[in-house]
Amino acid sequence: MQFLSITSATLLLALNAAPVLGATYSLSDSVVGSGFYNFFQWENIADPTNGRVTYVDQATSKSLNLTFASSNSFILRTDFKTVLSASGPGRNSVRIRSAKTYTTHAAVFDVRHMPQGCGTWPAIWETKESNWPSGGEVDIVEGVNDQSPNAATLHTGAGCTMPQSRDQTGTAGQLDCNTAVNGNTGCGVTFPTTTSFGPSFNSNGGGWFAIERTTSFINVWFWPRNSGSVPSDVKSGASKAVTDNWGTPTAAFPNTSCNIPQFFQENNIIINLTLCGDWAGGVFSQDGCPGACVDYVNNNPSAFTNAYFDFASIHVYQ
Ligand SMILES: *[C@@H]1O[C@H](CO)[C@@H](O)[C@H](O)[C@H]1NC(C)=O
Ligand SMILES: *[C@@H]1O[C@H](CO)[C@@H](O)[C@H](O)[C@H]1NC(C)=O
Ligand SMILES: *[C@@H]1O[C@H](CO)[C@@H](O)[C@H](O)[C@H]1NC(C)=O
């Protein structure tokens, strides 16, 4: 971990001042185009959330064009061509996990397009799969069935809660992050902008999501593509990120009553795209989607034409 420009003076400020100040970080990973194939490992596992998907390996995702890299773009999608047999496996999709793990860090996800369509449940998040939930989980992007806006959520073991009043632009939901409370609702913050998720995000050209995790807080930001206040280091993928300049976070998770290093261990970055499953399937009709989720996925491949991520880049700073 390199906190290059933290002096004891800024550290003291960070401890005493509200809002808590961030730091200056150095670029450790710049992931663009075919760089995604090395930075991430393909998880061809059974979907832990019971989705109607089959996660394929890297060679298969390339040969089926479910992942595609150009010099400035990485596409990750579900199959949108095959009618599925009800008794056969789920629609082919992709779930990728970074080879590296991170504790304190900042990361910027420049996303042009996210999967949309009834039944889709895309996520960009961080966790330690081998020690869930004790190793912590931070959902940076997550939602289902095109329902905007985005929410950022922590999921932890028992003993991590968030204060109602926080310096953030989003709206706090449940305050207890414990996965055992209310069926793993977690402590979420709903974003203020409809352009943060789904079709509205896509028609607006996407935007930037960012996370900063320190030993005393976790912050998440979102800037829509057309925002006038995108920090210059975020926009340019600069070699240094100065989080002090990033403004009020969209979602703030302070350590007021949650010891961050105790509840969050070294996490991987994970990007997954499932269909139906515990959440998207559970609220499919409520969200105005037609019929039964699994039937819809089986019989309507063309409904998944826009079920893809287009990443301009991921930049990780340490
Ligand atoms: C593969 O996917 C990319 C990105 O969506 C697309 O531009 C390209 O035409 C596709 N290739 C084939 C053979 O379908
Ligand atoms: C991805 O998998 C994780 C772990 O099972 C789960 O918490 C998350 O909700 C999943 N999201 C998607 C979109 O599959
Ligand atoms: C919050 O973080 C500060 C700074 O690292 C630390 O002194 C304090 O003990 C932490 N509080 C909790 C409840 O973890």
Side-chain angles (χ1 to χ4, degrees):
M1 307 314 112
Q2 306 167 347
F3 283 114
L4 289 181
S5 74
I6 280 201
T7 61
S8 47
T10 53
L11 197 56
L12 266 177
L13 260 177
L15 296 186
N16 296 327
V20 178
L21 294 181
T24 298
Y25 299 82
S26 290
L27 184 64
S28 63
D29 304 279
S30 175
V31 190
V32 180
S34 58
F36 278 73
Y37 289 119
N38 298 322
F39 184 75
F40 287 100
Q41 295 168 339
W42 267 233
E43 294 189 283
N44 52 328
I45 55 173
D47 179 30
T49 54
N50 308 306
R52 185 67 181 138
V53 290
T54 301
Y55 285 129
V56 302
D57 62 21
Q58 188 177 116
T60 307
S61 80
K62 280 181 174 170
S63 69
L64 296 178
N65 209 30
L66 300 180
T67 56
F68 174 84
S70 70
S71 62
N72 63 1
S73 164
F74 179 76
I75 308 284
L76 180 159
R77 67 183 320 142
T78 64
D79 166 79
F80 60 99
K81 294 179 175 163
T82 316
V83 173
L84 304 176
S85 147
S87 57
R91 188 163 297 288
N92 284 335
S93 188
V94 181
R95 172 179 171 125
I96 58 179
R97 182 178 73 180
S98 64
K100 290 190 188 175
T101 60
Y102 303 93
T103 53
T104 54
H105 69 290
V108 178
F109 302 83
D110 183 345
V111 185
R112 293 194 189 94
H113 187 280
M114 68 168 71
Q116 72 176 66
C118 274
T120 56
W121 175 2
I124 300 175
W125 54 301
E126 301 188 348
T127 197
K128 180 174 184 173
E129 287 177 294
S130 61
N131 193 25
W132 189 89
S134 304
E137 171 179 342
V138 186
D139 299 328
I140 300 163
V141 175
E142 198 179 26
V144 297
N145 300 326
D146 291 346
Q147 298 300 300
S148 185
N150 186 54
T153 307
L154 305 187
H155 301 268
T156 67
C160 170
T161 62
M162 289 297 133
Q164 177 69 51
S165 169
R166 280 174 261 172
D167 192 21
Q168 61 185 10
T169 61
T171 305
Q174 176 172 292
L175 301 178
D176 195 335
C177 310
N178 181 359
T179 55
V181 173
N182 276 328
N184 191 19
T185 298
C187 52
V189 174
T190 303
F191 287 23
T193 44
T194 52
T195 50
S196 60
F197 192 80
S200 316
F201 174 87
N202 293 334
S203 60
N204 197 43
W208 295 264
F209 293 94
I211 178 176
E212 178 184 15
R213 172 178 158 190
T214 72
T215 53
S216 52
F217 63 87
I218 295 170
N219 284 339
V220 176
W221 288 262
F222 172 65
W223 299 274
R225 188 67 65 197
N226 57 350
S227 163
S229 58
V230 190
S232 58
D233 46 7
V234 167
K235 201 167 196 165
S236 69
S239 59
K240 297 259 189 273
V242 186
T243 53
D244 293 4
N245 298 337
W246 287 5
T248 304
T250 316
F253 302 99
N255 77 341
T256 319
S257 51
C258 178
N259 183 317
I260 302 289
Q262 179 189 336
F263 287 95
F264 291 85
Q265 300 168 344
E266 64 282 11
N267 282 0
N268 298 90
I269 297 168
I270 304 184
I271 297 164
N272 49 3
L273 169 52
T274 196
L275 302 173
C276 305
D278 299 337
W279 186 12
V283 296
F284 191 72
S285 305
Q286 195 177 311
D287 286 342
C289 292
C293 194
V294 169
D295 293 342
Y296 184 79
V297 169
N298 291 347
N299 299 322
N300 296 290
S302 66
F304 300 93
T305 309
N306 290 317
Y308 68 91
F309 277 110
D310 180 350
F311 286 94
S313 63
I314 299 174
H315 288 110
V316 188
Y317 297 87
Q318 287 178 289

